[in-house]
Each structure stands twice: as C-alpha cells, then as structure tokens.
Amino acid sequence: MKTLLSGIQPSGTLHIGNYLGAIKQWVELQKSYQVFISIVDLHAITVPQDPQELRKNTLELAALLVACGVDPKKSVLFIQSHVPAHTKLAWVLNTITPVGELERMTQYKEKRERAGTLAGLLNYPVLQAADILLYQPDVVPVGEDQLQHLEFTRTLARKFNSRFGKVFKEPKALIQKEAARIMGLDDPTKKMSKSAPSPNNFIALLDSPEEIRRKIKIAVTDSGRDIRYDEKSKPAISNLMAIYSAFSGMTVSQIEKKYHGKGYADFKRDLGELLVEKLTPIQKKYRELSRDDKKLLAILRSGAKKATGVANKTLSVVKRKVGFVL
Ligand code: ATP
Ligand code: LTN
C-alpha cells in the first residue's frame, strides 16, 4: 500500500472549503493509501497563539477530523508535538539548509509582516520537510500555496541523500483540484478563508442550522437570475453550484436542469437545507467525541504511538548516517 501524509494547523475553526478541498479527499484516499494526518501544533506556534486557544483548537480539530470520517482504525491521526522525531529531524535538516532559501519563501515573506522575523517562522519549511520525510510518503496532498514548501522538501531530501547516502524518498505533490477551491460567500473572487474579515465569508463545519441558512441566504449573487455555471460571468452562483455539487454528488449540468426556470431564492433555500442535512451528522459525531475527552485522547495517543514507530525508524537511519553514536 502506498503512503500519504498531510498536515493541518490547529489555528481556528474548519470551514466547508477546508472540508471539500482537503479533508474529504483524505477520507476517500484512506481506502487506497496508508494515511498519516498530523495536527501541526509546532507549526501553529510560529505565529503568536493564546495557549488556552491552541489547546482547545487542537482538540477541536482532532474531533472534527474524526467526525468528518478520518477513521482512526485505518489512518494514523496524531498531534505533531507528541512525536519528538519531528523536531529532532528538523534540527538535522537545519544544518544543511541555506538561510537564503528560507528567506525566499513566499509564506515566510507574507507572515513576517504580521509576526516579525522570528527564527521559528523562518525555519517553518524545515520542520514541514521533517514532517514529511520521516514517513517516506509517496504523495503529499497540498493546496497550491504549499507547493513551494513541497519542492523545498524534495530538494532537501536530494541534498541529504547525495551527501550521506540514500535515506529519503522524494515525495510527489497531490495537487488539490481547482474545482475543490471554494470561494468566499461574500466575495467570490477570493478563496473561502477563516481569516476573512467577515464570518459571512465562510460556512464553518460547526455553524448552527440557522447560521448556515442565514449565510447562504445573504451570500453574494451575480446579476441576472438564471442558475447557470459560468465562472467568468457568474462567479458567485458558480461557486454556490460547486458547493451544491460537491455535497449532493450531482453534476453541475444536472443542477442546471433541476433549477431551470427557477430563481436564486429557490436554489439558495435548497442549498441551505442540503448543507444542514450534510453537516448535521458531522456535528452530532463531533459533539459525541468532544463530550468524551478520554476517548479522543486515546485515539491521539494511539496515533502518536504508531507514528513514532515509523518516524523513529527513519530517524535512526539518519542518526547513523550523520555519525551520531547510537
Ligand atoms: P487561512 O484562513 O489562514 O487562509 P485556510 O482557511 O485557508 O487558512 P489552511 O489551514 O491554510 O486554511 O488550509 C487547510 C487545508 O484546507 C489546506 O489543505 C488548504 O488547501 C485547504 N483549503 C483552505 N481553504 C480552502 C478553500 N477555500 N477551498 C479549498 N480548499 C481549501
Ligand atoms: N504548511 C501546511 C501544513 C503542514 C503540512 C505538513 C502539510 C505542516 N506540515 C506536512 C503537508 C505535509 C499548511 O499550512 N497547509
């Protein structure tokens, strides 16, 4: 079985963009890959975090991932800081990383405006490379914004291998499809994002049915009144149709047929109901899990144990190669 690894930051509530763009794909790929999902708290602290919020967000994210279908029996779900091999390998990789390469990273340049030029932020991609290389994955599903980090990881793997002998596999990016890019409900020209200025930009997975209905009702629409998919001239309704399609399994042309002769209000009402119907079971499972912290922690401890087993194998080869006394 091939291996897949991905990471997700515990930095706030998940929205349907995260679900359709990332989580749903992980859940589907569990059937054909050995999946590792890391909740990357060590990455989260590269920008200031409120400690209580961080702890809450980490557990909430873990519970939501399981509620969305990440199956702890099939996949290895763990908290990054529970597996010390990540920071250990990151240190070794730091010693072969030119600072100039890190200073050129787009995400670093964006984030340092807010967080300052902190060493942790600069070294973020090195820790991400360690996250990945420890598990020798075949594929790493990432959004386009993470391609630069993945390319950096591959370069680092090659560099280490050529200097110390082959240890690491060079993983391939599994680019999330453009169709999976969900745009903001209040501005269909920008992607749906939890850091958008208004919460009306996104539907959080934990939004109440009333909130979901309200946000869909006030979502921006285009001029005209027909339900037609056309990203260029009708970006707003096209985005809502993409969401409808992803949650219903209907194709865009089936949706066009169904709503032929009907208006935005009808379509939006149905979309609201569809989202309520699909998110309610996730929320129910989430509530069950978050009522029982022990069960959730047991899942995460067991994930960390399995991850540690795999990661430590790679780490001990690395230690031997660089000349540490074992
Ligand atoms: P931010 O609010 O800081 O932009 P985010 O909401 O984009 O964060 P991330 O933590 O950057 O969320 O992303 C987690 C995962 O969700 C990534 O794999 C990313 O590609 C995916 N993702 C995020 N937003 C969307 C979106 N609008 N459509 C599809 N996938 C998305
Ligand atoms: N940087 C990524 C999160 C991340 C990750 C990883 C993704 C950390 N380590 C390893 C894939 C593989 C992000 O911000 N989306």
Side-chain angles (χ1 to χ4, degrees):
M1 214 184 210
K2 291 197 166 175
T3 300
L4 175 157
L5 176 134
S6 203
I8 183 162
Q9 295 206 46
S11 48
T13 37
L14 291 177
H15 50 68
I16 56 172
N18 302 131
Y19 176 71
L20 297 176
I23 300 162
K24 193 164 166 249
Q25 211 183 20
W26 301 343
V27 171
E28 279 159 15
L29 291 171
Q30 286 179 128
K31 289 181 216 132
S32 40
Y33 285 86
Q34 171 60 62
V35 171
F36 289 87
I37 304 292
S38 180
I39 298 176
V40 294
D41 53 352
L42 298 168
H43 277 115
I45 62 163
T46 58
V47 296
Q49 299 285 342
D50 174 73
Q52 256 174 324
E53 280 289 306
L54 178 63
R55 197 170 299 118
K56 180 177 146 281
N57 285 338
T58 303
L59 293 172
E60 180 183 301
L61 176 57
L64 258 176
L65 289 174
V66 176
C68 287
V70 171
D71 179 355
K73 288 198 195 79
K74 290 191 198 140
S75 297
V76 181
L77 175 66
F78 65 100
I79 296 178
Q80 185 189 31
S81 65
H82 286 181
V83 183
H86 291 241
T87 38
K88 292 181 184 173
L89 179 61
W91 178 257
V92 175
L93 295 177
N94 266 319
T95 65
I96 60 164
T97 302
V99 171
E101 271 180 39
L102 297 173
E103 282 169 339
R104 277 198 293 277
M105 293 286 164
T106 313
Q107 194 173 291
Y108 168 67
K109 288 195 271 188
E110 277 166 19
K111 285 195 176 172
R112 79 177 164 198
E113 303 291 324
R114 283 174 278 153
T117 52
L118 296 168
L121 193 59
L122 180 68
N123 290 310
Y124 181 114
V126 183
L127 180 61
Q128 184 166 350
D131 291 345
I132 297 170
L133 296 175
L134 279 172
Y135 300 90
Q136 312 276 14
D138 299 280
V139 294
V140 180
V142 283
E144 234 157 89
D145 62 322
Q146 292 299 310
L147 271 183
Q148 198 184 25
H149 288 169
L150 195 70
E151 210 35 62
F152 169 80
T153 301
R154 290 162 56 87
T155 309
L156 213 50
R158 264 199 305 279
K159 192 187 250 179
F160 186 95
N161 288 346
S162 76
R163 184 143 152 207
F164 297 103
K166 182 154 189 330
V167 178
F168 299 123
K169 193 184 244 168
E170 277 182 51
K172 290 200 174 61
L174 189 70
I175 308 290
Q176 283 147 19
K177 286 176 255 125
E178 192 52 30
R181 199 174 152 82
I182 303 301
M183 310 310 273
L185 299 178
D186 58 352
D187 178 2
T189 62
K190 297 201 186 82
K191 73 163 196 155
M192 185 177 279
S193 167
K194 60 177 172 276
S195 30
S198 160
N200 294 334
N201 169 275
F202 57 83
I203 305 262
L205 295 184
L206 295 176
D207 273 348
S208 68
E210 295 72 38
E211 274 288 274
I212 295 171
R213 291 188 187 105
R214 187 186 65 80
K215 287 184 183 178
I216 294 294
K217 197 169 173 187
I218 61 166
V220 168
T221 44
D222 316 284
S223 54
R225 69 180 304 274
D226 48 330
I227 314 297
R228 184 166 52 79
Y229 193 88
D230 182 343
E231 278 179 35
K232 285 224 170 63
S233 68
K234 293 171 86 72
I237 201 73
S238 299
N239 184 44
L240 296 180
M241 288 174 81
I243 296 171
Y244 193 114
S245 166
F247 276 102
S248 67
M250 280 167 77
T251 64
V252 164
S253 64
Q254 285 170 331
I255 298 168
E256 281 175 351
K257 271 201 201 99
K258 181 171 176 191
Y259 289 96
H260 184 76
K262 294 189 180 162
Y264 291 155
D266 292 314
F267 172 74
K268 280 177 150 187
R269 194 181 325 106
D270 290 357
L271 176 58
E273 293 313 315
L274 174 67
L275 287 170
V276 169
E277 180 199 319
K278 297 290 175 181
L279 296 183
T280 301
I282 294 178
Q283 297 182 354
K284 189 163 166 265
K285 182 123 198 257
Y286 167 80
R287 278 195 292 271
E288 277 165 28
L289 274 163
S290 41
R291 232 177 275 129
D292 189 358
D293 248 15
K294 275 207 194 89
K295 188 171 170 200
L296 185 62
L297 280 170
I299 291 172
L300 292 167
R301 297 278 171 214
S302 146
K305 206 169 156 199
K306 288 182 213 157
T308 300
V310 178
N312 280 354
K313 268 197 196 130
T314 308
L315 188 67
S316 64
V317 182
V318 168
K319 285 178 170 172
R320 205 160 353 99
K321 294 280 188 193
V322 299
F324 292 165
V325 176
L326 296 182

